[in-house]
Amino acid sequence: MAASPTATALRATISPKPPDRFRTLIGVVATTAPAALLLIVVVLFQQAWPSVTHFGLGFLAGSTWNPVTLQFGAWPGIFGTVATSLMALVIALPVGIAVAIVLAEQGQAGIRGAVGIAIELLAAIPSVVYGIWALYVLGPWTFQHLESPVSDRFNSVGWLSSASPRSLFTASLVLAVMILPTLTAVSRDVIRAVPRGLKENAIALGSTWWETTWRVILPSARAGIFGATILALGRALGETIAVTMVIGNNYQIPQSIFSPAYTLASVIANEFTEATGDLYPAALVELGLALILVTLSANVIALVLVRSATARAAI
Amino acid sequence: MADRRPIEQTLAQVGRPELLTVPGASPAKINVDSLSFFYGRNQALKDVAFDIPERKITAIIGPSGCGKTTLLRVFNRMYDLVPGAHAEGHVLLDGEDVVSTRNLLELRQKVGMVFQRPSPFPMSIRDNVAFAPRLLGWPSARIKTVVEQSLERAALLEEVKDRLNDPAASLSGGQQQRLAIARCIAVSPQVILMDEPCSALDPVATTKIEDLMSALMREFTIVIVTHNMQQAARVSDFTAFMLMNPEGRFGELIEFASTADLFNRPQDDRTEAYITGRFG
């Protein structure tokens, strides 16, 4: 079809690019988020500078935290942060996915709706309330009914010995409850978005409900479930107040999962108001930098994993 | 009820006693008898009765909403997925009642299904075809042979034999549909149900699937639902015409005959109206 003169003229006026001023505006807005991240890191570095120059890279590996002798190292905090978050994921992931599978099934809308809303409401509870609940209810209960029996029985196993009402484990447990809504809600939506045809094909080939779910639906949804896991991990890594209330605030690498420990965020929250001098506050700010490093690494690792998984089996 | 009633009896049953002998008729594979179907309280099918002959292609045609897909999904009990759906009456596969059977997995191994959308599973081409054999726990040597045989029978092996480990999603639409057929025939079903298998495909891919159906007919009983009358006329040996009852809002079987008869000498005015395009 030959282009008529009017058509050519039209094409000249309707450019695929938006008008320039609008593009500039969008560009400015779009760069705000990365700029904010950059500024935060710059300011943190500036504040932490005395500590950065004083301790160097040894700060990350150091394991003492002594405001009196001004010896600071981040390693126990990093360990506590990563350990509580990973344990919380291990606890919450099976539960979250199981609930998501049930919620994504059709039928019996009443019960599913109620359970779905209840799970989402878990996200609306302020974390300090979780902290109080964990301090007065969850911690003592798990100490009495879970930690003590287990550590008595397996006292020879180092990482299961010496139970304590405030511990790495208690903190992980409360974190698991806190990340459950994120995990469940996102996984449920992802599982619901799996094309119905896949399920029908699997059923028509003679698979049971379980085989269909395990071999077809979950593999189709795995990228999204992984995304949900990363979101949840991000929340767990940064969670401060609830963890601070139940982790026991002991700046050491714990021997047992039932021993008190500390996380980066908890140290900052507990000590920032009391920090005086130059080096002490700077070291606390550097803990913040370490926390950013941890969360960024988690996200980068996730990105790499997703890329390699997609490359292996493009869905 | 007798296992293999001759097809003639059915034609008499649906009110066509004059067609007592159908050229090339073969024994019935599936007997449908006074079948009614309900989605909750809504009736979707009423008193459907006809026989599907063995190793022939039977087409079910009719306008949208006449219940042809519902009917097809009775044959492998796919309707079990829909809460509140239930069937009344009898559908006998080799004399065994499909409606009341408890062994759904065995039924679905005997009655395979190909859907409108091919829906390749998120795994390799090989694993897609091996899916049902693995559910049955076949030894891996047997699975390996079956995968190649099924792809060969589905006329896909030549195109994919060097990349069996590639993701199935990398195939074209027509190839995916042939993969779906290979996946379906891997466990040697006796009946293949096809629900609009070509409606998402281009003409070339459609021709390939139709040729494939003619080849598969020698081994399998094929039932195809299609809204495309030309396709029904091209590929099928027998045709069932369905229509929605305007008062009852349920689907009815209007006429069932050999395809040549149904298209050339329709006995019912509504059939004639539909196939001549004055309707629907």
Side-chain angles (χ1 to χ4, degrees), chain A:
Chain A
M1 201 163 59
S4 65
T6 42
T8 324
L10 260 179
R11 208 168 296 137
T13 50
I14 303 174
S15 147
K17 292 179 186 170
D20 277 354
R21 257 177 294 174
F22 190 58
R23 284 185 72 197
T24 318
L25 177 69
I26 294 207
V28 169
V29 173
T31 40
T32 317
L37 177 68
L38 202 69
L39 272 178
I40 288 172
V41 172
V42 166
V43 169
L44 284 180
F45 255 108
Q46 195 193 353
Q47 298 285 318
W49 197 246
S51 164
V52 172
T53 45
H54 190 270
F55 296 109
L57 274 179
F59 181 82
L60 293 178
S63 55
T64 39
W65 188 266
N66 193 334
V68 180
T69 60
L70 293 179
Q71 284 298 310
F72 299 113
W75 182 236
I78 295 175
F79 178 88
T81 303
V82 174
T84 45
S85 300
L86 288 183
M87 272 165 66
L89 266 191
V90 168
I91 298 166
L93 201 57
V95 180
I97 291 179
V99 175
I101 289 172
V102 171
L103 292 182
E105 286 283 305
Q106 49 173 349
Q108 293 175 18
I111 301 171
R112 288 177 216 281
V115 173
I117 290 171
I119 295 254
E120 277 169 27
L121 280 182
L122 282 180
I125 299 175
S127 65
V128 66
V129 176
Y130 273 114
I132 294 170
W133 170 69
L135 185 63
Y136 288 113
V137 182
L138 183 70
W141 192 89
T142 45
F143 174 67
Q144 200 183 341
H145 297 284
L146 204 72
E147 296 190 17
S148 297
V150 169
S151 63
D152 287 347
R153 175 76 182 76
F154 299 100
N155 212 10
S156 51
V157 185
W159 59 278
L160 288 176
S161 60
S162 60
S164 146
R166 293 183 212 170
S167 65
L168 205 62
F169 181 74
T170 321
S172 307
L173 216 53
V174 69
L175 275 182
V177 178
M178 294 175 76
I179 62 176
L180 198 60
T182 316
L183 266 180
T184 307
V186 179
S187 304
R188 176 196 59 193
D189 294 347
V190 170
I191 291 173
R192 251 186 211 161
V194 171
R196 198 176 151 68
L198 279 177
K199 183 180 176 184
E200 290 190 334
N201 266 285
I203 296 279
L205 286 170
S207 32
T208 59
W209 178 87
W210 173 248
E211 286 161 342
T212 307
T213 304
W214 188 248
R215 297 188 188 211
V216 175
I217 294 182
L218 286 183
S220 308
R222 70 187 156 203
I225 293 176
F226 194 72
T229 312
I230 295 308
L231 268 179
L233 183 63
R235 174 147 197 226
L237 286 171
E239 176 50 44
T240 311
I241 194 69
V243 172
T244 310
M245 290 166 87
V246 293
I247 197 165
N249 300 344
N250 176 21
Y251 204 79
Q252 275 180 356
I253 301 223
Q255 294 305 306
S256 155
I257 59 167
F258 298 141
S259 305
Y262 227 149
T263 65
L264 293 169
S266 303
V267 181
I268 300 172
N270 270 339
E271 302 191 4
F272 208 79
T273 46
E274 304 153 13
T276 48
D278 282 338
L279 201 54
Y280 190 12
L284 283 171
V285 174
E286 201 176 352
L287 284 188
L289 274 174
L291 184 55
I292 291 186
L293 191 71
V294 169
T295 48
L296 275 184
S297 322
N299 278 292
V300 169
I301 292 170
L303 208 66
V304 171
L305 282 178
V306 166
R307 288 256 168 90
S308 69
T310 350
R312 239 183 298 121
I315 310 171

Side-chain angles (χ1 to χ4, degrees), chain A residues 106-107 195-208 211-212 215-216 219-220 222 312-315, chain B residues 73 76 78 81-83 105 108 111-113 115 117-123 131-132 134-135 167 169 183-184:
Chain A
Q106 49 173 349
R196 198 176 151 68
L198 279 177
K199 183 180 176 184
E200 290 190 334
N201 266 285
I203 296 279
L205 286 170
S207 32
T208 59
E211 286 161 342
T212 307
R215 297 188 188 211
V216 175
S220 308
R222 70 187 156 203
R312 239 183 298 121
I315 310 171
Chain B
R73 287 175 175 231
N76 67 344
M78 276 307 280
L81 289 181
V82 184
L105 304 189
R108 288 171 185 156
V111 183
M113 190 163 197
F115 294 80
R117 300 201 167 275
S119 298
F121 296 148
M123 45 182 94
F131 186 84
R134 282 193 186 134
L135 293 178
R183 187 168 67 185
C184 166

